[in-house]
Amino acid sequence: MPFIVTEPCIQCKYTDCVNVCPMDCFVEGPNFLAIDPDGCIDCSVCVAECPVNAIVNAAEASEAQRPYIALNASLAKHPLWKPITRSRAPLAEHAAWRGVAAKAHLLQLPPAAEGT
Ligand code: SF4
Ligand code: F3S
């Protein structure tokens, strides 16, 4: 199964992950990144790059992380979420948010992906 981005990415978006992906799988939204499952080759090199451990193998996702499997797939195909292949500065409030466990309600979804 592909790798997925999960809750710790929300409001942080460090983007270190995108520099190492050999398949350019990452797409970007306002406060989260997603991985296109159709491009991901399960190489796992992005996992160690994330400072907040947001990237996991979908096959090893916890109960709480499981909704992110469909969410990554859905966001990866959304026309408003664009590919990102070079890292940039994290979100301004990243330091304040990186230790916050419950951030899912803050995820800014595009209209068609709501409810996924
Ligand atoms: Fe890219 Fe590999 Fe991470 Fe998949 S596991 S998103 S191919 S770096
Ligand atoms: Fe998000 Fe971690 Fe990448 S915070 S943008 S998954 S480096």
Side-chain angles (χ1 to χ4, degrees), residues 19-80:
N19 283 336
V20 299
C21 180
M23 302 300 289
D24 293 344
C25 290
F26 287 88
V27 297
E28 180 182 25
N31 65 349
F32 188 65
L33 256 58
I35 291 171
D36 183 349
D38 292 337
C40 182
I41 56 171
D42 305 348
C43 71
S44 82
V45 298
C46 56
V47 173
E49 299 301 311
C50 181
V52 288
N53 300 315
I55 304 174
V56 300
N57 187 326
E60 297 168 1
S62 67
E63 190 71 31
Q65 291 169 331
R66 220 160 285 153
Y68 286 85
I69 299 173
L71 184 66
N72 275 247
S74 155
L75 293 173
K77 304 301 182 200
H78 198 285
L80 292 179

Side-chain angles (χ1 to χ4, degrees), residues 7-8 10-11 68 97-107:
E7 191 164 6
I10 298 168
Q11 299 285 80
Y68 286 85
W97 286 107
R98 68 180 289 163
V100 177
K103 303 189 280 185
H105 62 291
L106 298 170
L107 175 56

Side-chain angles (χ1 to χ4, degrees), residues 5 8-9 12-17 26 33 49-52 54-55:
V5 183
C9 180
C12 290
K13 215 168 75 166
Y14 286 101
T15 73
D16 302 83
C17 53
F26 287 88
L33 256 58
E49 299 301 311
C50 181
V52 288
I55 304 174

